[in-house]
């Protein structure tokens, strides 16, 4: 019997932020307040990812990245630059999520 192919699940920073909120155990009934909390967690993760990206880039790569940003690139162009210059992005993102999770759950 052939095995069914399993589609890989796409796990986003937003998903991680929502999971952190659940793990925190906060009961937020107000939808707007809940959205604000999730957005805050998501922004914290993204800030840490951005910081890590800049740490991994050489000075020359940072200059190239600045030029790219100044040219009003598409998200795809930014992604291609990052993928072409940083080989361990999944690990960087995972570390950012873990760090933010640890901070939020310890408060």
């Amino acid at each position: 019997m052939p095995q069914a192919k399993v589609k890989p699940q796409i796990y986003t920073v937003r998903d991680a932020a929502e999971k952190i909120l659940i793990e925190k155990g906060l009961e937020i009934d107000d939808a707007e307040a809940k959205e604000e909390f999730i957005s805050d967690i998501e922004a914290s993760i993204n800030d840490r990812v951005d910081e890590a990206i800049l740490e991994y880039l050489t000075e020359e790569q940072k200059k190239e990245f600045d030029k790219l940003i100044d040219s009003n690139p598409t998200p795809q162009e930014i992604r291609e630059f990052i993928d072409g210059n940083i080989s361990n992005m999944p690990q960087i993102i995972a570390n950012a999520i873990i760090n933010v999770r640890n901070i939020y759950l310890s408060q």
Side-chain angles (χ1 to χ4, degrees):
M1 173 179 265
Q3 291 183 337
K5 290 187 179 182
V6 177
K7 278 187 166 180
Q9 183 176 0
I10 297 173
Y11 188 69
T12 65
V13 171
R14 172 79 183 189
D15 294 334
E18 290 173 354
K19 185 174 182 197
I20 291 169
L21 176 63
I22 291 167
E23 289 179 16
K24 180 76 173 167
L26 294 177
E27 295 294 327
I28 303 174
D29 294 329
D30 181 270
E32 190 173 314
K34 184 176 182 178
E35 176 60 33
E36 186 175 325
F37 196 86
I38 291 169
S39 292
D40 182 50
I41 296 170
E42 189 176 9
S44 295
I45 294 168
N46 285 327
D47 287 347
R48 290 192 188 280
V49 169
D50 292 346
E51 290 170 12
I53 288 170
L54 293 177
E55 287 178 19
Y56 278 88
L57 294 177
T58 66
E59 287 304 315
E60 185 61 36
Q61 290 168 328
K62 287 177 187 176
K63 289 176 186 175
E64 290 175 36
F65 190 63
D66 285 342
K67 287 180 186 176
L68 176 64
I69 296 301
D70 289 344
S71 72
N72 196 24
T74 65
Q76 180 65 30
E77 290 171 322
I78 294 171
R79 182 70 187 181
E80 287 172 2
F81 178 87
I82 291 170
D83 288 346
N85 290 285
I86 301 175
S87 62
N88 60 339
M89 272 309 293
Q91 187 62 46
I92 289 172
I93 294 168
N95 288 342
I97 291 169
I98 291 167
N99 289 336
V100 170
R101 179 186 175 273
N102 290 341
I103 290 167
Y104 275 87
L105 296 183
S106 69
Q107 295 177 346

